[in-house]
Each structure stands twice: as structure tokens, then as C-alpha cells.
Amino acid sequence: MSAIAVPLIGVSACRQQVGKNSSHTVGDKYVEAAGFAGLPLILPARDTASDPQALLARLNGILFTGSPSNVEPHHYNGAPSVDGTRHDVARDRLTLPLLQAAIAAGVPVLCICRGFQELNVALGGTLHQRVQELPGYLDHREPEDAPLEVQYGPRHTVGIAPGGLFERLGLATQFEVNSLHSQGIDRLAPGLRVEARAPDGLIEAVSMSDAPGFVLGVQWHPEWRFAENPVSLRLFQAFREACFAHAAREGSRQKAF
């Protein structure tokens, strides 16, 4: 009986200054959550972007992480950012083409917070840059000086759309999520399906029913203590199942040659 291949899960990194050094960074919570689906591999945000096809030939899933930085607005023809907004040119260079290529190749993707926004931009959508300044919208930012347990605690409910991936996963029609963001989806990209919205109508989760592989994006942070939250655990279980299925298909394909 042949052993089941352990999926290799790419985890997108940010490019940040750590002291005097330009560094590739990713939060431990993302690496640990990706480890639930397989063997995590951090993908650096290099000056010369890695070839997406070369990465996809080796990966069985990709977790696109959150970040303190925002997608540069020129990628979606947005207005210039306000002074002081953090950007990450190297990360944009890595993630936007990699998302397009991964979806086309059927490699499972789970996109969280900035990754959720990258998904929408990569497929042709646009973003609100400062949701908290828009009439009728909640302030979706975390309390800045609060401890992590408070920042990542429940902030508002989301209501799921009927007939979608969330319903098939057996999630409740409403559940609570955390909220730690300023950007949000404005115009939804073609091909994406709304899975959940906040009480103010902001899109909080999307899927892609016509994609050849698993595609899920969420605006909140399910990676935070994911094993303790039934909704978060179910999302990562679905991602894990998709990654194992992809690894099995790739293993069978390679044996055929």
C-alpha cells in the first residue's frame, strides 16, 4: 500500500524592514495553520519575482496571508493612497500573478485579509481603501492598543449567501468573526461569488464556483487559534482536503509518465 503524499503548502511572505535588514516575514499563526493542511513552505517576496509556474509545479496549495501593508492602488486603477499607508511592492509582485496562475492550474488557494483583497484585485476587482470613512459602513479596524486576544476576538456577525460553498460546508447561516482591516472589496471581480457579508453589506467572503480547484477568500482571520473555533476549523479542513486531493492527483499523474 503506497503512502499518501503530504501536500506542500506555500505561504506568502511580506517584505519588511527588520532593524537594518530588509527581510521576508510571515506570522507564525499562518505557518501553523498551513501546517494543518500539509508541509508549510514560506514563499519569499523577492526583488525578482519567482516564476509562478515553477512554484506551482511543486505546490499542492497556497495560503495567501494577511499583512500590515495594503495592495498598491495602481493595480486596480484606484486613487493614490493617503500619506503613511504601508505598501509592499515585492509582495504585490509575488502574489498577484501567482494567484492568477494558481487558480488557472487548479492549485487550491485560501486567501486571508490582504490575501482576500489580492484575490479580488488579481481577478479584476477593485478595493475601498478606507472603509471606516465610508458612509453607512462599520469601522472594521481592530482596537489599536488592545491585547491580541481582544483584537482577534469576535467583532461582528456575517450572514452567508444560500447555495454556496459555505452552505455545502455545513456552516450556520450567521456566525461571528474578528475584524482587523481598513481595505475592503468595492467592485467584485468577475467570476467570484459572494459567500458572506457583514451587517453593513461589506463583502466578507468569496469563492469561485467555476474554478478548476478550491478557491476561498475571507476578510477576517480564521488562522487565529483556528483549532478552537468550529467555523475556522471547518474552513481549514476544507482547504486541507483540497490540498490532499491535489497532491494525490499530481502523484497519480507523475506515475503515469
Side-chain angles (χ1 to χ4, degrees), residues 175-190:
F175 51 86
E176 289 189 312
V177 299
N178 51 41
S179 188
L180 301 91
H181 64 100
S182 179
Q183 288 194 136
I185 288 182
D186 179 8
R187 187 184 73 247
L188 187 67

Side-chain angles (χ1 to χ4, degrees), residues 89-254:
V89 176
R91 171 159 172 155
D92 289 345
R93 189 183 297 124
L94 166 72
T95 55
L96 298 179
L98 183 57
L99 262 166
Q100 295 170 344
I103 292 170
V107 175
V109 299
L110 176 56
C111 306
I112 294 174
C113 199
R114 190 195 208 269
F116 169 79
Q117 296 154 9
E118 290 167 342
L119 173 63
N120 193 55
V121 171
L123 297 179
T126 65
L127 301 177
H128 296 302
Q129 295 185 43
R130 297 172 68 81
V131 174
Q132 68 274 7
E133 297 178 357
L134 299 176
Y137 283 88
L138 300 171
D139 187 342
H140 288 260
R141 297 172 297 176
E142 72 277 19
E144 189 172 342
D145 296 326
L148 283 178
E149 290 74 12
V150 175
Q151 290 182 328
Y152 284 91
R155 290 288 303 282
H156 61 73
T157 61
V158 296
I160 74 169
L165 174 61
F166 278 5
E167 188 175 85
R168 294 195 298 276
L169 293 178
L171 300 185
T173 56
Q174 285 194 349
F175 51 86
E176 289 189 312
V177 299
N178 51 41
S179 188
L180 301 91
H181 64 100
S182 179
Q183 288 194 136
I185 288 182
D186 179 8
R187 187 184 73 247
L188 187 67
L192 291 180
R193 180 191 190 279
V194 175
E195 289 288 336
R197 290 183 185 269
D200 58 7
L202 190 68
I203 297 171
E204 289 277 338
V206 297
S207 64
M208 196 173 185
S209 56
D210 293 335
F214 180 90
V215 178
L216 176 62
V218 297
Q219 181 60 83
W220 68 91
H221 286 267
E223 82 287 350
W224 171 256
R225 297 179 177 174
F226 73 94
E228 302 172 14
N229 182 297
V231 171
S232 300
L233 182 59
R234 186 67 190 99
L235 298 183
F236 277 99
Q237 285 172 337
F239 180 54
R240 171 190 168 91
E241 291 163 7
C243 294
F244 267 88
H246 184 274
R249 286 194 300 271
E250 286 299 295
S252 298
R253 184 184 64 83
Q254 291 170 8

Side-chain angles (χ1 to χ4, degrees), residues 31-133:
V31 177
E32 292 299 324
F36 177 76
L39 180 64
L41 176 69
I42 295 174
L43 306 178
R46 302 167 57 202
D47 289 332
T48 301
S50 301
D51 175 20
Q53 298 304 328
L55 291 175
L56 295 175
R58 294 163 172 81
L59 298 176
N60 303 117
I62 308 177
L63 177 61
F64 290 88
T65 64
S67 171
S69 67
N70 287 353
V71 178
E72 285 204 310
H74 72 80
H75 290 294
Y76 53 91
N77 295 320
S81 301
V82 301
D83 289 345
T85 301
R86 294 177 67 173
H87 292 125
D88 189 337
V89 176
R91 171 159 172 155
D92 289 345
R93 189 183 297 124
L94 166 72
T95 55
L96 298 179
L98 183 57
L99 262 166
Q100 295 170 344
I103 292 170
V107 175
V109 299
L110 176 56
C111 306
I112 294 174
C113 199
R114 190 195 208 269
F116 169 79
Q117 296 154 9
E118 290 167 342
L119 173 63
N120 193 55
V121 171
L123 297 179
T126 65
L127 301 177
H128 296 302
Q129 295 185 43
R130 297 172 68 81
V131 174
Q132 68 274 7
E133 297 178 357

